[in-house]
Every structure is written in structure tokens, then in C-alpha cells.
Amino acid sequence: MVAHADTRVVHRGGSKINFRAPVITQDSRFLICVSGECIKVFSTSTEECIHHLQGHKELVTGLVLNPSNHLQVFSCSEDGTIRLWDFTDGILIRTYNVRRRILSMHVSAKGDVFLVMSVKRNKKEKFGLVSLNLPPSVEQHVMVKGHTIVFQSVSTDPKCIAFGQGGEYVASVKDNVLHVYFFNKKTFYRFALGTSDEKAARNAFTCVACHPKDDCIATGHGDGKIRLWRNFNQEKEYTFSTVHWHHSGVNALCFTPEGTNLLSGGLESVLVQWRYGQEGQKDFLPRLGSSIKEIVVSPDGSLFCTSHTDNKITVIQNCTKVSAVIQGLVHGDGVKTALMVDPRTKALVLNGKPGHLQFYSLQRDQQLYNLDIVQQEYINQSNLDQFEVVKAALDSRGSWLATVEQRSAKEVEISLKLWAFDERTQSFVLNTTISAPHDGPISEICFSPSSQNSTTLVSVSLDGHFKAWQLTQPDPSDDEEASWSCDFVGDYHSLEPKCCCFSADGSLLAVSFKEVVTVWSPASWDLLTTLSQPPGAIQDLCFGRLSCSKYLLGATDKNLCCWNLLTCSLEWSTALDVSLLLADPLSENVAAFCGAEKTTDLFVFRPSEPRPHFSQQALCTGRVTRAVFAPRDEPLDGCEESSQWLNRSQLYFLTHNMELLTFLTKPEEERLMALSKQPTIDDSVAMTPFYLLLGKHRKRQEEERDILSRQSGVRNLLPQGSAAIKELLHTPSHVLPSTSILCSMFVSSLLVSVSDSRDKEQPTEVEMESEKEEEDSEEEGASVPPRPEHESPDTGAKLGPVLTKAEHRELRGVKKLDYSWIRGLVTSKPVFNTTKQMVKTLKQRGKTPKPMAKTPKPMAKTPKPMVETTNP
């Protein structure tokens, strides 16, 4: 196997932001949520992502605010660490190593930290609730030792654990049992609901919430009922009351901070608000889009937040108004379409909401828009046959989109739709609808590589035929738009076709019929040749790219075969159970996902070389059936040889439990870690278009200010790049040292070292002396006779006495001096008649200024002061 230590599989774009309940900050300005291996900080007003907190190596499983500092947040992960973050500046403060897999994290009202983590019992791994003491430390990495087990077996869902008023007790639900533990009395109470009949079997607990001011526990159940438990400190005299509105299971419960209302949500996409003590009165907020999974209330009670099953977070203001929607990649029950990349927006295209296609930006990690394909109202009801999008394809220019919608009733209903991209609306508009394009279900559709002359779409159906659809242009005299029509119908010995694929230049079309691969010419629709292989139906086809374009790959559930199209012979074959075959459009590389026992292996190779240059076993659990190569904006540099196949494209693949994963190389990881450790003040401001425009204006102003400062020659005594000033401005105030330390640091940064300045002055003085010697030698070598003292070179006017050589040397030294300080004396005193008299007067007064070389060098290069001396 090929070494792959420089790459690892991570959750990147499209991670689940609804995996755990989000956290709203104390001032309700920010919303913090998990997203795969990182943490995202959103603005509740602008919906913009402000920070990506990166540092965990595995999936982040919990978030809680630091009870002792409302500007910090704790996060836990399956990598066995707890990290403390400053979410306002995006800085990692401390890492606690627990060395065990952590599934969730809780904090009581007293500030105690509790974890749900693996607890070995009878040589079996179970998950228990433990109390943990995080020791105070100034170190960045802290080892945590020792914990106290509270519950030996709990649910891994954080909604099934809640802490009572003042942190006096904790409630846990699992299956049909409610457990309550009192910390002061150290006593357990167990309350079970009967499961004797089928109706009682729906009494299973789904979630729990505790009243913040009263001894009351609210539990949600699978039958849609909510039970309010009281007197639970006595095992026999407990009581509970029941309220019922939800027609299916209650997914989430949450009390408001003052305890005046109880919020509940479920499959109905309705937020229900119950009045505590008056449960008969309730308010509703309907049509929230999809089933509610989590409910969170801000500490001040001004904002409600609901997390939904379609990977969406909704922010609700004043209990009645949706103020913000944060939409992630929609993870439905399954992706029936292939993963595609839009050539225009570089967005990932796949199934979204029922009856929709979603366009998701992997670079910005946010949804661009939804495209309604079915254009019918979706009814959320089980066992109801509704239209759904099963196939989709984009042409190479992103100008056309083909979709297949299907409803499996008594008779299968199929529609093929062609969508044209509208430049004005920047979206796709329906152009042609073809009802019943085939007599059976469509197994695959694909576009030919676009050309200026024609565009062809091929659809393959289980009715035994494949059809070619051609775009026809109308007459110029007609006002009609271009439309699609059937151009060719093909079959082969009444066999069922399974898949099809065009070559890179569009000159060949390969269609598989059971064990036979047929190769056709799209120009004339002639059958060129047939290729056979060992027994087994062809499941996937793929043409080679670039220098490997003469090869055709075919995969079955037992073999992977490669044919040479020039010789029409089998080049090589190997025994592999290939579930997906994918070619990189920007290189010769081909990725083959192979199913193993409960896992998936990956092999990356070139068709010309059957030996893989990258492979990884146990890539993920389950089978991978959807993947795509997404082109990079800029090629990667500095990758090792085993990961160079990721230089130009990035491979994304979808697991069986709808997780979007990709590969991360070492250079990428080092760059991301460097960015996460570099705090900036502007990161607290949302990156809106107005902010970007203002930032450019500020940058231009700073450049102009720097140019003016260089021209004026004035030294900037307090440079903005000073380490002390950066430390003072970029560090949060609550983690700064005392003021006395800061003052000493700040003053020290303004002082100039005397030894350093003297060391720098010495070479400058030597240079000045050498220049003087050169000038003296030049004067001595000159043969110009001296003029009379009373004669001018031009007019013969009477002048002062001629200077000697020694006085010339002294005058040259005076010319190199800085006379800016004496400007006031020049204006207030009479002007000297001769330069010789000026030098003599300055010597008598003892005010000869120090040379420029003995002053500290300014930050910017300043021009020498111009001092002109004239002989009157």
C-alpha cells in the first residue's frame, strides 16, 4: 500500500451545523455552532460567518459557554480534548486533554462541568455521565486526571440530559425510564413508564428540560405528549401532568430563562409556546420550513433559536418574527442525483429539500440558492407517493441543466425537464418538459461535451432503449425559443442498458448492456464496436482523460476492467468490488471506491498504469456511492508525491449517513492552523460588501499617509507595526497582564538602544571620512590657479577673502549638518555676510549641531535637508 501520512479525511464544506444545539452569547450578538471538525461563529443580525475556530482533529460533539467568562466558550470532540476559545477574537486559549472519546458536554448552574464519554463496564464500552474538574492553569496544554461517575449508562443525545434549578439535581432519560440524581443528598430516583401494550410502547422518552426557578421536569415522548413531573424527590409520591398538541414525537423542549414559557417542537415545523402554570394557553409560530430538531433561548430571553433537520438554523426575535436563517448543506434522507459541480459558480449541485436542487458553495461553505424542480407543494406525511428528483446533469459550460422527476405510484410517472441558464436572473429557467420520455425508469442521463454547433443529451432507461435528445434552433423569423427533441433511439439485442458515458472530446459514446459495452459514434449514431468482459453486469463506465483518453474503464461488482480503444482489446483487469468509478477532469487520475466488509477502500490510479499511486483502506464506514472532483482555484504547492493527485482537484465524497468528507493535505492544514492562530481586530466585523469597500478605502488612505510621511522626512515615533502596540490592541482585555507590566513594555518599545545606535553610527562616520579624503585628493590634483581676492570670475566684483583648504574641509562638514533647528535663529538674527563668518560665529557660541549620522535612523528613508550657501 502507498503511504498517505500526509493526508487525512476531514469534514470540510457542507458539514452538519445541526449536529448539536447551537449556543447564543450573553449579549445575543453571536450564534456559535459546530460544523464537522471546526466551530463557526455567526452574527445573529447579518447571518455572516465571522470566525472559523479550528483545532480539533475529530468531530466536535459539544459547545457550552464558560460560566466564569461570558466571552469564552468550551468545545469538546471525539479526539478526547476540551478546548477553551475566545470567540470574539477567534483565539484558542487552552486545551484540556481527557484522553477519552467525548460525546457531549454540559455545565450546571453552579459552573460544574459534566461530560458524556465512554465508560468501560464488564469489558464493554458504555457511555456514562461523569463530573470533571478542569484545573486552573496558565499552561496552554493541560492534562486532566480523575473524574466522578454520576450515571453509568445514559443516552448519547444531549437533549436527554438536563440540570435543575441551581444545579441541585440532574435528570436523564433513556428508553422508558427517567433518572434523577440529587448532588447534595447523593440519592437516585427512578421513574418508569409502562410498556405492556403497543400504545404504551410509544411512551419512550425523547427529550428532557428542567425549570430554571421551580422543581419541575418536562419530558417529551414519542406519542407527541409532554409530561410535567413534580415531587420527584419522593419515589412514591411523585406526580405528573400531561399536555398534548404534537401528532408525532416531541423532538425538543426548552424553558425560557425566567421559566414563564415552555417551548416545544417536532415534525410539524411549528414552534409551540406553552404558558407555564397555564398550559391550556399556547402560541404558535408555524411554517418554519422543516422538522425542528433543537430549541435554544438566549440568556436574556430576547432570541429563540431552532435547529432543523434540513441543516438549517433559524433565529426568532420577539417570539413571533424570524430575523435570520443560517442554511447549511441540506442533508436529506438520501441523495438520488449524482454530485455535480456547476462550471459557472463552482458550486456543488445535488438534492436539497424535497423536490429541489441545491447549489452549495464549497469555498464559502454556504448555500447559494435552491431550484424548485417539481414545483408542487410538499406534504409532510409518511407513505405518501410524491414527485422527487432522481437524476440531474449539467453540461460542460453550465448553460443547460437536465432533471428527471419520478413518482412511484401504481404506475411510474416520469418527466424529463431541460432548464436553460438565464443571464439576467442568474438562475435556471424551465425550457422544455418531456412527459413519459421512456416506458421505464431512467437509470442515467449525461450531456455530451458542449460545442458551439450542437448540444446532445443521452438518457438510458430500463425499457431496453437509450435516447439522444438534440437542441434544435428555431427559424430566425419565428419568435420561439430553442427546444429539445428526440434525435435517435438505440438498443442492443433487447438487453437492458445500465449506464452511459461520453469521451472527453465527445466523439464516442459508451453504453453498457448487461455484460456488453457498446461504443457508438454520436455524429452518425453508428455502432462502432462491442467490448465484452468476464461475467457480471457493468455497473459503471468511465473514459480516461488527457494522455489516457484511449482507455475505457468498466466496473462490475467483482471486477474492474480496462480496454484499449485503439486495439479494441482488454488491457488489464483486477478483482475489485467497485461501487463508484470517477475520473478527474483536470488530470489522468481515476478514483475507484471499493466496498469492503462494512467499510470502503479508495484507490487512485492512471488507466495506463494499473498499479495505484494512492490507496487508503477503511476510508469510511458503509459504501460510498456519490463523489465528485471539484477544481481548485489555485494548484497546491509543496505536496508530497503520494498526495500530488490532489494538486489541481479536490475529491469530495458522500457517506451512507449523509456526511460530506474530503481529503486535507499537510500544507493545507498548516496554512489553516496559521490563519486560526493569527488574530485580527477586523474579524469581529462581518465581511459584508460595504465592509470590503470601506476596507479598500482605508487601505488607500494608509498608503497615501505613508507616502506623505516619507516625503516629509518626519519620523513616526509610534509605528503601528510596533510589537507592544499590537500586543496591546489585539489581545482581549480580560487576558491582559497588569497595567504596570503593560506600561513598562510600552515605554521600553519607544526607547532606542544606545549601544545599537553607536554600532550603526561607526560605518557611517567612516564613509563620511573617506568621502572627505576623496574630495581633498581631487582638489589637490586640480591645477586651477587661485583668483585674486577682489576679482569675481564673471563680473570682477569685489568679494571676500578666498577660503583655505582646511576651511574648505570644514565647510564641507558644515554642509552635511542638519540646520533645521536653527531656522528660528536665521529669521531672528541678521544674516551672515560670508560663510566663513557664519562658521566662526557658530564655533564661538558652541552651538554646532551633531551630525546626522549620530542621530537614530528614522523608520522611513528621509531626504537630506537642502542647505544652500551663497557668496554675496
Side-chain angles (χ1 to χ4, degrees):
M1 290 296 174
V2 182
H4 52 270
D6 60 327
T7 59
R8 64 187 184 94
V9 179
V10 297
H11 296 77
R12 285 289 296 274
S15 299
K16 293 183 179 180
I17 61 175
N18 64 347
F19 179 65
R20 288 291 185 260
V23 172
I24 304 178
T25 59
Q26 194 81 20
D27 54 2
S28 301
R29 291 179 55 203
F30 304 110
L31 183 142
I32 311 172
C33 65
V34 303
S35 179
E37 297 177 345
C38 74
I39 303 157
K40 292 185 177 181
V41 182
F42 290 93
S43 170
T44 55
S45 57
T46 64
E47 306 174 12
E48 294 290 333
C49 183
I50 298 172
H51 290 299
H52 285 79
L53 308 181
Q54 296 177 336
H56 285 290
K57 301 296 183 182
E58 298 291 339
L59 191 67
V60 180
T61 56
L63 288 174
V64 291
L65 287 176
N66 186 0
S68 59
N69 191 331
H70 66 275
L71 298 178
Q72 298 174 357
V73 64
F74 283 108
S75 66
C76 63
S77 170
E78 291 184 353
D79 61 6
T81 62
I82 301 173
R83 296 177 185 262
L84 180 63
W85 307 84
D86 183 338
F87 58 82
T88 58
D89 293 317
I91 301 173
L92 175 62
I93 300 176
R94 195 167 294 111
T95 301
Y96 300 92
N97 194 349
V98 184
R99 293 173 296 178
R100 286 194 184 185
R101 183 185 175 197
I102 305 173
L103 296 185
S104 64
M105 188 174 185
H106 306 267
V107 173
S108 66
K110 294 181 179 180
D112 300 327
V113 178
F114 295 85
L115 302 177
V116 175
M117 64 183 188
S118 60
V119 178
K120 291 185 179 180
R121 186 180 180 188
N122 298 329
K123 297 182 180 180
K124 292 183 179 179
E125 185 182 22
K126 290 189 176 182
F127 299 100
L129 179 68
V130 302
S131 175
L132 199 68
N133 182 23
L134 298 180
S137 175
V138 295
E139 300 292 333
Q140 192 170 5
H141 297 275
V142 181
M143 298 295 296
V144 180
K145 299 180 181 179
H147 59 267
T148 304
I149 299 178
V150 180
F151 289 123
Q152 301 245 352
S153 179
V154 296
S155 173
T156 58
D157 192 349
K159 296 180 297 185
C160 296
I161 297 175
F163 290 85
Q165 62 162 333
E168 296 179 358
Y169 59 89
V170 57
S172 172
V173 296
K174 186 179 182 182
D175 298 330
N176 289 74
V177 180
L178 166 65
H179 292 277
V180 181
Y181 176 72
F182 287 86
F183 294 102
N184 294 334
K185 297 187 294 183
K186 296 183 179 180
T187 54
F188 285 93
Y189 294 96
R190 180 179 182 273
F191 309 97
L193 295 177
T195 57
S196 57
D197 53 8
E198 295 181 359
K199 185 176 180 180
R202 299 185 61 195
N203 290 338
F205 292 91
T206 57
C207 53
V208 64
C210 294
H211 197 282
K213 306 291 184 181
D214 194 7
D215 289 333
C216 176
I217 299 176
T219 57
H221 299 267
D223 57 0
K225 294 180 181 179
I226 300 174
R227 289 179 171 86
L228 301 175
W229 301 75
R230 294 179 176 87
N231 297 330
F232 43 81
N233 55 354
Q234 301 178 13
E235 195 163 356
K236 295 184 178 180
E237 298 181 2
Y238 71 91
T239 61
F240 66 81
S241 58
T242 304
V243 294
H244 192 187
W245 182 86
H246 300 276
H247 77 275
S248 59
V250 180
N251 292 340
L253 287 173
C254 183
F255 279 98
T256 56
E258 297 298 328
T260 55
N261 294 295
L262 172 65
L263 306 177
S264 65
L267 185 66
E268 305 83 6
S269 306
V270 178
L271 180 64
V272 185
Q273 185 173 351
W274 307 82
R275 304 288 178 85
Y276 182 72
Q278 299 175 354
E279 284 76 16
Q281 299 180 9
K282 49 187 176 292
D283 298 322
F284 304 95
L285 183 60
R287 294 183 289 276
L288 293 179
S290 59
S291 302
I292 296 176
K293 187 178 179 182
E294 306 275 359
I295 301 175
V296 176
V297 183
S298 62
D300 57 2
S302 61
L303 294 179
F304 296 167
C305 180
T306 57
S307 177
H308 299 263
T309 54
D310 62 350
N311 205 24
K312 176 180 66 178
I313 297 176
T314 303
V315 180
I316 302 169
Q317 194 173 13
N318 299 328
C319 310
T320 57
K321 176 184 174 183
V322 176
S323 60
V325 176
I326 301 170
Q327 179 68 66
L329 181 67
V330 178
H331 296 79
D333 296 332
V335 175
K336 295 181 171 57
T337 64
L339 297 185
M340 302 165 288
V341 175
D342 183 13
R344 294 177 179 269
T345 60
K346 310 300 181 185
L348 184 68
V349 184
L350 70 162
N351 288 107
K353 297 189 297 184
H356 292 68
L357 285 180
Q358 60 176 326
F359 289 72
Y360 194 86
S361 174
L362 294 170
Q363 290 77 16
R364 291 184 288 175
D365 198 10
Q366 67 179 14
Q367 188 183 86
L368 300 182
Y369 63 94
N370 266 308
L371 182 62
D372 189 0
I373 303 297
V374 175
Q375 298 179 350
Q376 292 182 5
E377 188 69 26
Y378 180 77
I379 302 174
N380 196 346
Q381 183 177 344
S382 59
N383 301 324
L384 182 64
D385 295 325
Q386 302 181 76
F387 277 104
E388 56 183 354
V389 183
V390 294
K391 299 293 177 184
L394 279 163
D395 72 338
S396 58
R397 292 180 298 178
S399 302
W400 290 96
L401 168 68
T403 60
V404 177
E405 57 187 59
Q406 177 179 312
R407 181 170 66 177
S408 301
K410 295 181 179 179
E411 295 182 0
V412 179
E413 299 180 40
I414 304 174
S415 293
L416 175 62
K417 293 183 178 180
L418 283 304
W419 306 74
F421 185 80
D422 188 1
E423 296 286 351
R424 183 178 59 85
T425 61
Q426 291 295 302
S427 182
F428 286 92
V429 180
L430 183 62
N431 176 269
T432 303
T433 301
I434 304 171
S435 300
H438 288 271
D439 296 333
I442 296 177
S443 57
E444 189 161 349
I445 58 175
C446 65
F447 278 99
S448 65
S450 297
S451 62
Q452 298 296 331
N453 298 327
S454 62
T455 303
T456 304
L457 172 71
V458 173
S459 60
V460 175
S461 174
L462 299 181
D463 61 359
H465 299 85
F466 72 91
K467 293 185 179 182
W469 308 88
Q470 193 77 27
L471 178 64
T472 58
Q473 299 292 339
D475 295 335
S477 59
D478 298 338
D479 295 335
E480 298 179 358
E481 297 180 354
S483 60
W484 292 77
S485 60
C486 184
D487 185 56
F488 177 76
V489 179
D491 61 359
Y492 183 79
H493 294 294
S494 301
L495 297 176
E496 289 185 358
K498 175 64 176 177
C499 54
C500 62
C501 179
F502 277 98
S503 61
D505 58 356
S507 60
L508 297 176
L509 171 67
V511 183
S512 67
F513 292 87
K514 294 292 185 180
E515 296 89 358
V516 180
V517 178
T518 59
V519 182
W520 305 74
S521 171
S524 60
W525 295 116
D526 293 334
L527 179 60
L528 301 179
T529 186
T530 59
L531 305 171
S532 60
Q533 53 90 45
I538 298 290
Q539 303 292 333
D540 207 350
L541 286 174
C542 176
F543 276 95
R545 302 282 180 169
L546 301 179
S547 62
C548 299
S549 58
K550 64 180 180 179
Y551 298 103
L552 175 63
L553 297 167
T556 69
D557 55 353
K558 295 181 180 179
N559 296 284
L560 175 62
C561 305
C562 178
W563 291 278
N564 190 327
L565 296 177
L566 298 181
T567 61
C568 296
S569 61
L570 185 65
E571 188 81 7
W572 55 265
S573 66
T574 182
L576 285 175
D577 179 13
V578 179
S579 61
L580 180 62
L581 203 59
L582 190 66
D584 183 6
L586 301 180
S587 68
E588 298 91 352
N589 298 315
V590 176
F593 292 88
C594 304
E597 185 179 357
K598 297 182 180 180
T599 59
T600 294
D601 301 336
L602 174 65
F603 299 93
V604 181
F605 60 96
R606 295 184 182 91
S608 58
E609 302 173 6
R611 182 183 180 88
H613 51 266
F614 177 86
S615 61
Q616 181 166 340
Q617 293 205 10
L619 183 68
C620 62
T621 58
R623 291 177 70 88
V624 174
T625 57
R626 300 288 184 269
V628 67
F629 276 102
R632 297 182 183 273
D633 296 334
E634 296 180 359
L636 284 182
D637 295 328
C639 292
E640 296 185 7
E641 184 178 358
S642 61
S643 60
Q644 287 184 357
W645 62 281
L646 292 169
N647 282 355
R648 304 189 65 183
S649 300
Q650 190 166 6
L651 179 62
Y652 291 88
F653 58 95
L654 206 61
T655 63
H656 73 288
N657 55 355
M658 303 305 297
E659 291 182 336
L660 187 65
L661 305 178
T662 187
F663 288 90
L664 185 67
T665 61
K666 273 190 176 180
E668 287 181 291
E669 188 171 6
E670 291 173 357
R671 179 174 56 85
L672 292 174
M673 290 299 294
L675 291 176
S676 64
K677 294 179 180 180
Q678 184 178 4
T680 57
I681 299 176
D682 292 340
D683 282 344
S684 61
V685 184
M687 296 293 290
T688 59
F690 178 75
Y691 169 78
L692 294 175
L693 181 63
L694 185 61
K696 292 181 180 179
H697 181 65
R698 287 179 177 175
K699 187 177 180 180
R700 192 181 302 112
Q701 286 183 339
E702 291 177 358
E703 292 176 354
E704 294 176 355
R705 193 180 300 114
D706 293 340
I707 294 174
L708 292 176
S709 63
R710 286 195 296 267
Q711 292 177 352
S712 61
V714 179
R715 180 185 173 185
N716 189 5
L717 296 179
L718 299 177
Q720 295 183 359
S722 171
I725 296 178
K726 282 186 176 180
E727 188 75 17
L728 193 63
L729 295 178
H730 292 183
T731 307
S733 59
H734 56 277
V735 295
L736 283 173
S738 62
T739 310
S740 59
I741 299 177
L742 288 178
C743 288
S744 60
M745 290 173 54
F746 183 71
V747 173
S748 299
S749 67
L750 303 180
L751 298 177
V752 179
S753 176
V754 177
S755 59
D756 294 343
S757 61
R758 288 178 177 176
D759 294 339
K760 295 177 182 178
E761 290 169 7
Q762 292 177 359
T764 308
E765 293 175 354
V766 173
E767 292 176 1
M768 292 180 64
E769 292 175 1
S770 62
E771 290 177 359
K772 293 178 182 179
E773 292 176 357
E774 291 176 0
E775 293 175 356
D776 294 342
S777 62
E778 291 177 358
E779 289 180 3
E780 291 174 357
S783 59
V784 179
R787 294 186 180 93
E789 296 181 359
H790 60 277
E791 191 175 312
S792 174
D794 297 330
T795 61
K798 291 185 179 181
L799 298 175
V802 179
L803 301 179
T804 63
K805 291 184 179 179
E807 290 174 340
H808 271 294
R809 293 195 200 99
E810 193 171 7
L811 179 60
R812 281 193 295 271
V814 172
K815 289 181 179 180
K816 297 180 181 293
L817 301 181
D818 183 10
Y819 291 96
S820 58
W821 62 276
I822 206 171
R823 289 174 183 171
L825 296 175
V826 174
T827 56
S828 59
K829 299 292 182 179
V831 180
F832 298 104
N833 295 328
T834 61
T835 306
K836 183 177 179 180
Q837 184 181 357
M838 180 180 67
V839 173
K840 185 177 180 181
T841 306
L842 289 175
K843 283 185 176 182
Q844 292 176 356
R845 295 180 179 179
K847 294 184 179 181
T848 304
K850 296 181 181 180
M852 289 291 291
K854 293 185 179 181
T855 58
K857 291 187 177 181
M859 294 292 293
K861 185 177 179 180
T862 58
K864 295 181 179 179
M866 302 297 294
V867 179
E868 297 182 359
T869 58
T870 57
N871 293 327

Coordinates of all heavy atoms in Angstrom, one line a residue, residues 1 11 23 44 157 197 210 250 280 340 380 438 516 566 585 643 652 760 762 778 791 811-812 827 829 840 843 856:
M1 N 0.8 -1.2 0.0 CA 0.0 0.0 0.0 C 0.9 1.3 0.0 O 2.0 1.2 0.5 CB -0.9 0.0 1.2 CG -2.0 -1.0 1.1 SD -3.1 -0.7 -0.3 CE -4.2 -2.1 -0.2
H11 N -14.1 16.5 7.7 CA -15.3 17.2 7.4 C -15.0 18.6 7.0 O -14.5 19.4 7.8 CB -16.3 17.2 8.6 CG -16.8 15.9 9.0 ND1 -16.0 15.0 9.8 CD2 -17.9 15.2 8.8 CE1 -16.6 13.9 10.0 NE2 -17.8 14.0 9.4
V23 N -25.3 27.7 20.4 CA -25.1 28.5 21.6 C -25.3 29.9 21.2 O -24.6 30.4 20.3 CB -23.8 28.2 22.3 CG1 -23.5 29.2 23.4 CG2 -23.7 26.8 22.8
T44 N -25.9 37.2 14.6 CA -27.3 37.0 14.6 C -28.1 38.0 13.8 O -29.2 37.8 13.5 CB -27.8 37.0 16.0 OG1 -27.4 38.2 16.7 CG2 -27.3 35.8 16.8
D157 N -27.5 11.3 23.2 CA -28.2 12.5 22.7 C -28.2 13.6 23.9 O -28.7 13.3 24.9 CB -29.6 12.2 22.3 CG -30.2 13.4 21.5 OD1 -29.6 14.5 21.5 OD2 -31.3 13.2 20.9
D197 N -48.4 -2.7 26.5 CA -49.1 -2.8 25.2 C -48.4 -2.0 24.1 O -47.5 -1.2 24.4 CB -50.6 -2.4 25.3 CG -50.7 -1.0 26.0 OD1 -49.7 -0.3 26.1 OD2 -51.9 -0.6 26.3
C210 N -35.4 21.0 32.3 CA -35.7 21.4 33.7 C -36.0 22.8 33.9 O -35.4 23.7 33.2 CB -34.5 21.0 34.6 SG -34.1 19.2 34.7
V250 N -42.1 14.4 20.1 CA -41.6 15.7 20.5 C -40.1 15.6 20.4 O -39.4 14.8 21.1 CB -42.0 16.1 21.9 CG1 -41.5 17.4 22.3 CG2 -43.5 16.0 22.1
G280 N -53.0 25.4 29.2 CA -54.1 25.5 28.2 C -53.9 26.6 27.2 O -54.4 26.6 26.1
M340 N -22.5 17.0 -8.6 CA -22.0 17.7 -9.7 C -21.4 19.0 -9.3 O -21.8 19.5 -8.2 CB -23.2 18.0 -10.7 CG -23.9 16.8 -11.2 SD -25.5 17.1 -12.0 CE -26.5 17.6 -10.5
N380 N -45.8 16.8 4.2 CA -45.0 16.0 5.1 C -45.9 14.9 5.7 O -46.4 15.1 6.8 CB -44.4 16.9 6.2 CG -43.3 16.3 6.9 OD1 -43.1 15.1 6.8 ND2 -42.5 17.1 7.6
H438 N -39.6 7.8 -21.5 CA -39.3 6.4 -21.6 C -40.5 5.6 -21.0 O -41.3 6.1 -20.2 CB -38.0 6.0 -20.9 CG -36.8 6.4 -21.6 ND1 -36.1 5.7 -22.6 CD2 -36.0 7.6 -21.5 CE1 -35.1 6.3 -23.1 NE2 -35.0 7.5 -22.4
V516 N -22.2 -6.5 -21.8 CA -21.6 -6.0 -23.1 C -21.5 -4.5 -23.0 O -22.5 -3.8 -22.6 CB -22.4 -6.5 -24.3 CG1 -21.7 -5.9 -25.6 CG2 -22.4 -8.0 -24.3
L566 N -7.9 1.7 -29.1 CA -7.2 1.7 -30.4 C -7.1 0.2 -30.9 O -7.1 0.0 -32.1 CB -5.8 2.3 -30.2 CG -5.8 3.8 -29.8 CD1 -4.3 4.2 -29.6 CD2 -6.5 4.6 -30.8
P585 N -11.5 15.5 -14.2 CA -11.5 16.1 -15.5 C -10.2 16.9 -15.8 O -10.0 17.3 -16.9 CB -12.7 17.0 -15.4 CG -12.9 17.3 -14.0 CD -12.5 16.0 -13.3
S643 N 0.4 12.5 -2.5 CA -0.8 13.4 -2.5 C -0.8 14.4 -3.6 O -1.6 15.3 -3.6 CB -0.9 14.1 -1.1 OG 0.2 15.0 -0.9
Y652 N -14.4 15.1 -3.1 CA -15.5 15.1 -2.1 C -16.3 13.8 -2.3 O -16.6 13.5 -3.4 CB -16.4 16.3 -2.2 CG -15.8 17.6 -1.9 CD1 -15.1 18.4 -2.8 CD2 -15.9 18.2 -0.6 CE1 -14.5 19.6 -2.4 CE2 -15.3 19.4 -0.2 CZ -14.6 20.1 -1.2 OH -14.0 21.3 -0.8
K760 N 25.7 51.3 14.8 CA 25.2 51.7 13.5 C 25.9 53.0 13.0 O 26.0 53.2 11.8 CB 23.7 51.9 13.4 CG 23.0 50.6 13.7 CD 21.5 50.8 13.7 CE 20.7 49.5 14.1 NZ 19.3 49.8 14.1
Q762 N 29.1 54.0 13.5 CA 30.5 53.8 13.1 C 30.7 53.7 11.6 O 31.5 54.4 11.0 CB 31.1 52.7 13.9 CG 31.2 52.9 15.4 CD 31.8 51.8 16.1 OE1 32.1 50.7 15.5 NE2 31.9 51.9 17.4
E778 N 41.0 65.1 -4.8 CA 40.6 65.7 -6.1 C 41.0 67.2 -6.2 O 41.4 67.7 -7.2 CB 39.1 65.6 -6.3 CG 38.7 64.1 -6.5 CD 37.2 64.0 -6.7 OE1 36.5 65.1 -6.6 OE2 36.7 62.9 -6.9
E791 N 38.6 89.8 -7.2 CA 38.1 89.6 -8.5 C 37.1 88.5 -8.6 O 37.3 87.4 -8.1 CB 39.3 89.3 -9.4 CG 38.9 89.4 -10.9 CD 40.1 89.2 -11.8 OE1 41.1 89.8 -11.6 OE2 40.0 88.4 -12.7
L811 N 34.0 73.5 5.7 CA 32.8 73.9 5.1 C 32.0 72.7 4.6 O 30.8 72.6 4.7 CB 33.1 74.9 4.0 CG 31.8 75.4 3.2 CD1 30.9 76.1 4.1 CD2 32.3 76.3 2.1
R812 N 32.7 71.7 4.0 CA 32.0 70.5 3.5 C 31.4 69.8 4.7 O 30.3 69.2 4.6 CB 33.0 69.6 2.8 CG 33.3 70.1 1.4 CD 34.0 69.0 0.6 NE 35.4 68.8 1.1 CZ 36.5 69.4 0.7 NH1 36.4 70.4 -0.2 NH2 37.6 69.1 1.3
T827 N 15.9 83.5 11.1 CA 14.9 84.6 10.8 C 15.0 85.7 11.8 O 14.6 86.9 11.5 CB 13.5 83.9 10.9 OG1 13.3 83.3 12.2 CG2 13.3 82.9 9.8
K829 N 17.9 86.6 13.7 CA 19.2 87.3 13.7 C 19.6 87.8 12.4 O 19.1 87.4 11.3 CB 20.3 86.3 14.2 CG 20.0 85.8 15.6 CD 20.2 86.8 16.7 CE 20.0 86.3 18.1 NZ 20.2 87.3 19.1
K840 N 32.6 80.7 12.0 CA 33.4 81.3 13.1 C 32.4 81.6 14.2 O 32.7 81.4 15.4 CB 34.2 82.5 12.6 CG 35.1 83.1 13.7 CD 35.9 84.2 13.2 CE 36.8 84.8 14.2 NZ 37.6 86.0 13.7
K843 N 31.2 78.5 16.1 CA 32.2 78.0 17.0 C 32.3 78.7 18.3 O 32.4 78.2 19.3 CB 33.5 78.0 16.3 CG 33.7 76.9 15.2 CD 35.1 76.8 14.7 CE 35.3 75.7 13.7 NZ 36.6 75.6 13.2
P856 N 19.5 58.7 15.7 CA 18.9 57.4 15.4 C 18.2 57.4 14.0 O 17.6 58.4 13.6 CB 17.8 57.1 16.5 CG 18.2 58.0 17.6 CD 18.9 59.2 16.9

